[in-house]
């Protein structure tokens, strides 16, 4: 991807904090990733608005059900990770 240099104004404390964490050579990459994430967030917000306009807002019961399903899926993956050493030992024998 082609790049172009831009001048932006940032709060000095924030910029120096980031530079200290990532180093001067990675500062531009860090800012680029942050802008990309913000654009993704903005697009998701636009999608939510469009879907809510078409289907109505998400109700609390749906949010509760989705959160329960998410926790169930996370638990399944955690269980798979916990069983992984035993499965490796069984296949190595």
């Amino acid at each position: 991807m082609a790049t172009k240099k831009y001048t932006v104004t940032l709060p000095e404390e924030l910029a120096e904090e980031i530079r200290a964490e990532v180093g001067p050579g990675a500062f531009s990459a860090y800012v680029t990733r942050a802008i990309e994430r913000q654009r993704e967030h903005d697009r998701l917000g636009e999608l939510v608005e469009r879907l809510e306009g078409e289907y109505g807002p998400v109700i609390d019961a749906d949010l509760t059900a989705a959160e329960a399903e998410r926790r169930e899926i996370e638990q399944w993956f955690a269980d798979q990770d916990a069983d992984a050493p035993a499965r490796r030992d069984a296949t190595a024998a």
Side-chain angles (χ1 to χ4, degrees), residues 18 22 26-40:
I18 293 167
V22 301
F27 187 80
S28 290
Y30 184 93
V31 171
T32 298
R33 285 192 307 275
I35 291 169
E36 289 170 343
R37 281 192 305 274
Q38 182 62 48
R39 286 178 48 101
E40 290 172 0

Side-chain angles (χ1 to χ4, degrees), residues 11-80:
E12 183 176 2
E13 186 176 304
L14 175 63
E16 292 306 319
E17 194 175 293
I18 293 167
R19 189 179 301 278
E21 288 177 20
V22 301
F27 187 80
S28 290
Y30 184 93
V31 171
T32 298
R33 285 192 307 275
I35 291 169
E36 289 170 343
R37 281 192 305 274
Q38 182 62 48
R39 286 178 48 101
E40 290 172 0
H41 180 80
D42 293 346
R43 287 187 188 117
L44 285 172
E46 292 167 5
L47 176 61
V48 167
E49 285 180 17
R50 185 170 53 105
L51 292 174
E52 286 185 338
E54 188 171 335
Y55 300 105
V58 177
I59 60 173
D60 287 341
D62 291 338
L63 290 173
T64 301
E67 179 60 22
E69 185 174 352
R70 183 191 64 78
R71 282 194 302 270
E72 188 177 304
I73 291 168
E74 284 183 348
Q75 186 60 53
W76 185 87
F77 278 103
D79 293 346
Q80 296 300 306

Side-chain angles (χ1 to χ4, degrees), residues 1-10 19 27-28 31-32 35:
M1 174 190 331
T3 61
K4 183 176 179 181
K5 192 172 216 163
Y6 290 91
T7 300
V8 297
T9 303
L10 300 171
R19 189 179 301 278
F27 187 80
S28 290
V31 171
T32 298
I35 291 169

